Amino acid sequence: MLLSSSFRTDIPHSYEPPAYIDGILRNVPKHGRLRLANLPTPIHRVNNNNKNIGGGSSSSILSRLAELNINLYIKRDDATSGTELGGNKLRKLEFLLADALSSPDYDSIVTIGGEQSNHCRATASACRLVGLEPHIILRTARADAIHAGKDDIGITGNVLYDRMVGSTIYTVSPREYAQLGSTKLIDSVCNTIRQKNKHPYSIPVGGSNGIGTWGYIDAVDELIRQIETSNISTLDHVVFATGSGGTATGITVGLSLAYGCHGGVGHPAMQDKVPPRIHAVGVCDHPDYFYRTMSNIADEMGIHLSSVGSNDNCSSIETEQFIREAVTVYNGKGNGYAFSTDNELDFITTFAIETGIVLDPVYTGKALYYFLTTVLEEDPEVYRDTNILFWHTGGSIGLYDKGDDLLERMSQSSHVIRIDSSMV
Ligand SMILES: *Cc1c(COP(=O)(O)O)cnc(C)c1O
């Protein structure tokens, strides 16, 4: 009885936030969290001197890191779980679905994203895991053609997983999405299914609200423990992609507080250390949008800053000013959200060959490409002899959507050889 109940996915566990959050982030999730993810996720160090250097179709990424004596660490949140659940969204869903399950009334979830949304895919699978019905709204340029029966939503990448778990899929065109906004669209689907006697719980784009973002407060605490017990002496830079802002908010607020800024006590192992510089690469929208969004999410989490911290390396202030000082957001969207440039795809291919780590085209590939080729190259000396941690947030299923473009690149590096009798 006891044993079997401990394996239940639909019963929340209590959540105790780290002591350095106390009194600063005040809206601690009341209903705890589920335990769905494989935590802690590993950190892998990229070996700058390995034999794979130069194996790619463009210039070597690892040689450049070696020249600057940079240690690149990758936090593998692509490995939070199996394919259907994997990525950063699962950390947020642990808190969001615990909240949904706290009321026996809710029987379904409504959320929204792009056609290849990792968030919708992970949400749909997690819903089934805990016994809720998934309703997902996908933004697609093919909405009209699909509605007219001239096209089909198909089974490419994330959509295959959405459909495998029996999601109800609603389509919306990019124009309608821009006009109506995601909140209105979610509300309208909720109203529609309420008329069918459903009781929907809504989750915003990317799960980025004052509840889901706790997943990344917890993730930072996990990272701090890993650093504390590792031989990484200082963490100089933390780099990641930002889309809906929740991951960026959790990492920025969590790290600042772990290092004892703004009235907090800090984590005992970190309070005397210089906090890492935080770099968020936007894959859509403009940096100002992200600073505002992050500030709104932090306010939803009940952030309460005071002007002095135990760590003199941090400064003071209001939420948006705090965010602007704590993190630098870049415009790394390139050709636009979910559109790849040739250079980005070359980079992903080379990185995979040189490291064995597969990035995704929409978030992580764009973000690391932008950071290493633009941010770092603007002033390489700043990064010489540093430890950089790139937070891999998942998304590799999105590669299926770029199959043809990737195939061209792979044909130069991956060879297919027929075994014939002369070889044996
Ligand atoms: C959603 C997503 C992000 C961005 O996270 P946000 O919290 O939405 O900003 C980054 N990487 C991947 C793979 C994602 O799916």
Side-chain angles (χ1 to χ4, degrees):
M1 189 64 184
L2 205 76
L3 192 65
S4 67
S5 71
S6 71
F7 289 111
R8 288 194 50 179
T9 54
D10 58 344
I11 297 181
H13 297 244
S14 62
Y15 172 66
E16 190 66 48
Y20 54 78
I21 297 298
D22 265 2
I24 304 180
L25 282 188
R26 298 184 171 180
N27 299 341
V28 178
K30 287 192 213 48
H31 305 291
R33 52 112 54 99
L34 302 178
R35 293 222 173 256
L36 305 177
N38 292 323
L39 304 179
T41 56
I43 297 175
H44 290 157
R45 179 176 173 275
V46 168
N47 181 358
N48 291 348
N49 300 309
N50 77 29
K51 298 188 182 71
N52 305 324
I53 286 181
S57 55
S58 64
S59 59
S60 168
I61 299 156
L62 297 191
S63 306
R64 183 65 179 139
L65 294 175
E67 265 168 37
L68 293 169
N69 193 31
I70 288 169
N71 289 315
L72 179 63
Y73 295 92
I74 314 278
K75 173 79 169 148
R76 302 297 302 265
D77 274 14
D78 51 328
T80 51
S81 190
T83 314
E84 70 282 15
L85 291 168
N88 64 338
K89 301 311 180 307
L90 188 58
R91 289 191 188 265
K92 306 181 195 181
L93 288 164
E94 289 196 329
F95 287 90
L96 290 162
L97 294 182
D99 193 56
L101 292 168
S102 71
S103 161
D105 289 346
Y106 296 120
D107 53 18
S108 43
I109 298 285
V110 177
T111 196
I112 191 164
E115 185 173 335
Q116 283 296 326
S117 170
N118 300 308
H119 163 67
C120 288
R121 176 260 306 156
T123 302
S125 303
C127 276
R128 291 304 193 189
L129 195 57
V130 303
L132 295 165
E133 212 179 85
H135 293 259
I136 61 180
I137 309 168
L138 300 181
R139 181 187 62 235
T140 166
R142 302 184 296 129
D144 289 334
I146 293 166
H147 183 68
K150 291 183 191 140
D151 201 346
D152 185 81
I153 188 80
I155 52 161
T156 299
N158 284 289
V159 179
L160 173 68
Y161 291 88
D162 297 339
R163 300 184 76 181
M164 277 297 287
V165 298
S167 308
T168 304
I169 299 175
Y170 307 80
T171 59
V172 60
S173 71
R175 184 177 39 81
E176 290 159 340
Y177 186 100
Q179 277 168 1
L180 297 166
S182 61
T183 311
K184 229 181 199 168
L185 288 163
I186 289 175
D187 287 348
S188 69
V189 169
C190 284
N191 286 334
T192 307
I193 66 177
R194 271 190 205 104
Q195 284 160 18
K196 295 175 187 158
N197 267 327
K198 300 275 178 208
H199 298 276
Y201 178 94
S202 62
I203 295 180
V205 183
S208 291
N209 63 10
I211 295 173
T213 299
W214 282 90
Y216 270 84
I217 296 294
D218 186 55
V220 166
D221 197 51
E222 174 184 306
L223 172 69
I224 297 291
R225 284 164 209 256
Q226 287 174 308
I227 300 283
E228 191 190 359
T229 54
S230 75
N231 58 1
I232 305 173
S233 54
T234 55
L235 192 57
D236 301 300
H237 300 276
V238 175
V239 183
F240 50 87
T242 180
S244 64
T247 303
T249 308
I251 292 177
T252 301
V253 173
L255 275 175
S256 300
L257 298 185
Y259 279 78
C261 306
H262 307 294
V265 293
H267 186 285
M270 301 298 159
Q271 59 197 184
D272 300 326
K273 297 200 169 177
V274 178
R277 281 185 54 190
I278 306 174
H279 307 265
V281 182
V283 301
C284 52
D285 285 297
H286 292 280
D288 279 339
Y289 166 84
F290 286 107
Y291 290 123
R292 262 197 315 278
T293 302
M294 291 172 68
S295 163
N296 292 340
I297 298 170
D299 282 336
E300 259 186 76
M301 298 174 88
I303 197 165
H304 209 89
L305 302 163
S306 64
S307 54
V308 281
S310 61
N311 187 330
D312 291 339
N313 294 304
C314 326
S315 55
S316 59
I317 49 275
E318 290 301 297
T319 314
E320 188 171 331
Q321 194 190 342
F322 156 67
I323 294 286
R324 282 179 182 272
E325 289 192 5
V327 56
T328 306
V329 183
Y330 306 91
N331 182 348
K333 68 181 171 187
N335 280 351
Y337 180 76
F339 292 99
S340 299
T341 65
D342 283 344
N343 288 342
E344 287 165 8
L345 294 177
D346 286 343
F347 174 85
I348 292 173
T349 310
T350 304
F351 194 77
I353 294 168
E354 293 194 331
T355 67
I357 296 172
V358 177
L359 302 169
D360 84 291
V362 181
Y363 295 94
T364 54
K366 260 193 195 303
L368 191 56
Y369 169 76
Y370 187 84
F371 182 79
L372 292 182
T373 60
T374 303
V375 179
L376 182 140
E377 294 301 348
E378 263 166 21
D379 197 352
E381 290 311 315
V382 169
Y383 299 93
R384 188 181 290 280
D385 304 324
T386 59
N387 293 321
I388 300 179
L389 182 126
F390 180 70
W391 211 309
H392 191 329
T393 42
S396 69
I397 303 174
L399 287 169
Y400 288 87
D401 192 43
K402 312 286 180 201
D404 291 342
D405 294 327
L406 291 168
L407 190 58
E408 271 173 42
R409 292 166 168 85
M410 281 183 273
S411 62
Q412 297 163 32
S413 51
S414 167
H415 308 288
V416 182
I417 296 165
R418 169 83 168 93
I419 300 252
D420 64 26
S421 54
S422 70
M423 291 171 73
V424 183

